[in-house]
Amino acid sequence: MKNFWKRRSIIILAAAFFFCIPVAFVNYMVDPYWCFQHRVPIGRYQTSIDERQQKSNFLATRTPDIDTVIMGNSRVTYTDVQNVPGKAFNYASSSMKSVEFLPYLKFASMRSSLPVKTLILGLSFVDTNKNSTIYYDKPEEYIQRALSPWFRNKSLLNFKLFYNSIKLIRKELKGDYHDAYTWEGGKVIPSRRMMLPVREEIRKKEIESNLATYRERGYGKDFIYQDNRPTYEEIKEAFPDARILVFTTPVSEHLLGLLAEQGLFNQYARWIEDIVDSFGELWNFMYYNKITTDGLNYKDAHHYS
């Protein structure tokens, strides 16, 4: 009986070893959570798992040379750092609100080998809806996990990440980089790309979906204007020597029309005034112009190239 249990234990351990090693190897090789410092050989067209965590992991495991930090929501994630003056890091993430900016800005500044001299803030009108819910963890929680060696090493045995890694390998083999971050690993700062134009039937479907969502929630009947000037002031106080460049994200004419249809133009005007009041100047792209009226610049109603 003793030998039976001994043999069974050995078999169980061997089986666990047999299954865990390939999982850890693939997850390490592809590194979908951006936890390690090696150059990634394959699976480099990476879709977002959780940008807040991925980008925090990148900073936590490196001392990057950055002097510029870009913040904003998913619209801003497509801003290529190569097209921005200076040595920029794009910390923008899906549905990110201005109230989340400061902890991430401080973390990027702390991790950088250079002083952060420029902040580029992409602001979206939907951020002023007081009833808009944040479905993500607090910035401090993402940063704490990123700094934990246990969290990083545990990711190697994450089967969900393993399946994602396999998908990413297939994605690269197909040459499909739409909506993907080009993740080379090492010290190369990841950038995201959008393949345009998308098929017209797909774009129309996405536009309809976006408008339905914004009509119900973002610009819905429960819209209550939130003055974000206190948040802006906190950023200015934390970075008194930095140049702060602020712009509004250029949503398409479809979303601009919905804003007017919902009777929110006065709130929109107040938002513009609040931004200028806080920062002194603003690059406003959120109006009818040759960019916002050309559907070929968008994959849906608000994500632009």
Side-chain angles (χ1 to χ4, degrees):
M1 181 62 70
K2 183 177 180 179
N3 289 335
F4 168 78
W5 285 110
K6 183 178 181 180
R7 285 196 302 271
R8 187 165 186 177
S9 298
I10 292 173
I11 292 172
I12 292 173
L13 290 173
F17 182 82
F18 177 80
F19 284 108
C20 288
I21 291 301
V23 170
F25 174 75
V26 172
N27 280 344
Y28 178 78
M29 180 176 66
V30 177
D31 192 15
Y33 246 170
W34 307 356
C35 288
F36 305 100
Q37 299 183 29
H38 62 280
R39 295 300 293 264
V40 175
I42 195 168
R44 290 168 292 192
Y45 299 156
Q46 301 207 356
T47 50
S48 168
I49 302 172
D50 186 341
E51 291 154 315
R52 290 166 174 78
Q53 193 64 67
Q54 289 168 290
K55 294 181 179 183
S56 297
N57 291 343
F58 178 91
L59 293 174
T61 52
R62 294 161 179 80
T63 306
D65 302 327
I66 56 176
D67 59 17
T68 301
V69 184
I70 304 168
M71 302 299 301
N73 59 19
S74 60
R75 303 168 189 168
V76 186
T77 60
Y78 295 98
T79 303
D80 191 341
V81 296
Q82 300 300 322
N83 295 327
V84 176
K87 298 180 178 179
F89 179 76
N90 190 336
Y91 219 146
S93 303
S94 178
S95 300
M96 182 175 278
K97 296 183 178 299
S98 56
V99 71
E100 299 178 76
F101 288 177
L102 187 55
Y104 291 120
L105 287 170
K106 287 181 177 179
F107 184 58
S109 177
M110 179 186 75
R111 296 300 305 171
S112 176
S113 64
L114 302 174
V116 172
K117 298 179 179 179
T118 305
L119 309 181
I120 301 178
L121 311 181
L123 302 182
S124 299
F125 177 66
V126 71
D127 187 20
T128 64
N129 187 351
K130 190 174 184 179
N131 286 323
S132 181
T133 305
I134 298 177
Y135 294 99
Y136 295 88
D137 293 337
K138 293 180 179 179
E140 292 79 7
E141 295 179 43
Y142 285 105
I143 293 168
Q144 184 179 17
R145 286 195 292 266
L147 291 170
S148 168
W150 167 247
F151 172 81
R152 295 196 296 272
N153 294 329
K154 186 176 66 172
S155 72
L156 292 173
L157 296 178
N158 187 316
F159 277 86
K160 187 175 180 180
L161 283 183
F162 172 72
Y163 292 125
N164 184 75
S165 296
I166 296 297
K167 289 180 180 178
L168 295 178
I169 292 174
R170 292 173 177 169
K171 187 176 180 69
E172 180 172 349
L173 292 175
K174 292 179 181 178
D176 176 14
Y177 57 83
H178 178 55
D179 269 1
Y181 283 93
T182 302
W183 171 236
E184 298 182 26
K187 293 185 177 181
V188 180
I189 294 176
S191 60
R192 193 178 191 185
R193 292 191 286 179
M194 182 192 298
M195 287 176 60
L196 290 178
V198 297
R199 293 208 310 271
E200 186 61 20
E201 62 271 22
I202 294 177
R203 191 173 70 89
K204 286 183 177 180
K205 185 176 180 180
E206 290 296 320
I207 289 173
E208 291 174 1
S209 176
N210 294 159
L211 293 179
T213 299
Y214 271 80
R215 185 175 287 109
E216 179 182 352
R217 294 199 294 270
Y219 298 166
K221 294 179 179 179
D222 64 344
F223 186 100
I224 298 177
Y225 184 82
Q226 176 173 285
D227 185 349
N228 287 322
R229 283 179 294 179
T231 295
Y232 304 153
E233 292 303 318
E234 288 179 356
I235 295 174
K236 288 167 57 180
E237 290 174 6
F239 292 88
D241 299 322
R243 184 186 182 199
I244 304 179
L245 306 177
V246 187
F247 72 96
T248 60
T249 53
V251 299
S252 75
E253 60 180 335
H254 303 283
L255 214 52
L256 291 170
L258 179 64
L259 184 151
E261 175 190 311
Q262 297 293 95
L264 297 176
F265 182 81
N266 288 340
Q267 289 87 334
Y268 162 82
R270 179 182 173 185
W271 174 57
I272 298 297
E273 291 175 357
D274 286 350
I275 297 172
V276 175
D277 181 53
S278 292
F279 296 106
E281 62 181 3
L282 165 70
W283 293 341
N284 183 23
F285 301 114
M286 190 178 166
Y287 63 98
Y288 289 98
N289 56 58
K290 64 181 181 180
I291 300 298
T292 59
T293 56
D294 186 349
L296 293 179
N297 293 316
Y298 297 83
K299 71 168 188 173
D300 50 27
H302 63 120
H303 290 101
Y304 57 89
S305 171

